[in-house]
Amino acid sequence: MTGTFGSFICRSRGSGGGGGLGDLLGGALGGLLGGAAAGTVLNGGLGGLLKQLQQSGQGDVARSWVGAGPNKTIPQADLASALGTDTLDTLSQQTGMRRDELLSGLSQHLPRLVDHLTPDGRLPTEAEAARMV
C-alpha cells in the first residue's frame, strides 16, 4: 500500500484496540478510524496524513482540524485526490466498503478524528497518544 494515510490505518489494525471515536462510529469505518486512533500516531502517521493533505492543497482544511474552532469540511473528491487511488483501494478491501461509501464516511468523520487526536492544537507526544485510546 502506498500513501501515508494507508499506512496510518494499516499499522493500527493489529493493535488490539479501538476505543474512543471508533466505538462511537460503529461498523467498518468505526473500526478503521478507531484503530487509527489507537495505533499510529506514534509512528508519524497522523503527521504524515496532515502533510499529504497540505501537499494536495488542503492545508487550510487540515489546519482547521488540528486548531481551535470549527472543523472545515473536505469534499470527497478532494479527499480522494489527497489519499490517492492505491490507498483508497486498499482501505475499501480492508473494510469491505465501496469506495464511495468509504469516502463519504471519511470526509464526514476524519475531521473529528484528527480534532480528537489533537486536543491542544498540536500533534500528541507518544505518551499522550497512548492515553487517548
Side-chain angles (χ1 to χ4, degrees):
M1 167 185 298
T2 60
T4 302
F5 185 68
S7 55
F8 173 69
I9 295 297
C10 285
R11 283 194 306 265
S12 70
R13 297 214 24 105
S15 67
L21 189 61
D23 287 347
L24 295 174
L25 299 175
L29 185 61
L32 185 73
L33 292 178
T40 58
V41 174
L42 315 179
N43 297 318
L46 180 58
L49 168 65
L50 296 173
K51 185 176 180 181
Q52 249 180 294
L53 289 166
Q54 289 171 340
Q55 289 174 342
S56 69
Q58 299 301 314
D60 238 19
V61 171
R63 281 187 294 280
S64 79
W65 300 350
V66 173
N71 294 327
K72 292 184 179 182
T73 59
I74 185 165
Q76 291 179 34
D78 292 341
L79 184 58
S81 176
L83 297 179
T85 302
D86 290 345
T87 296
L88 289 172
D89 288 347
T90 301
L91 294 176
S92 289
Q93 288 177 331
Q94 289 179 341
T95 61
M97 297 173 76
R98 291 188 329 263
R99 187 176 173 162
D100 61 328
E101 291 174 314
L102 181 67
L103 280 169
S104 174
L106 287 174
S107 66
Q108 181 180 357
H109 298 293
L110 193 57
R112 191 169 29 156
L113 173 68
V114 173
D115 191 48
H116 174 78
L117 294 173
T118 57
D120 299 321
R122 60 175 174 75
L123 295 178
T125 66
E126 187 172 325
E128 290 167 337
R131 287 191 302 266
M132 288 181 191
V133 232

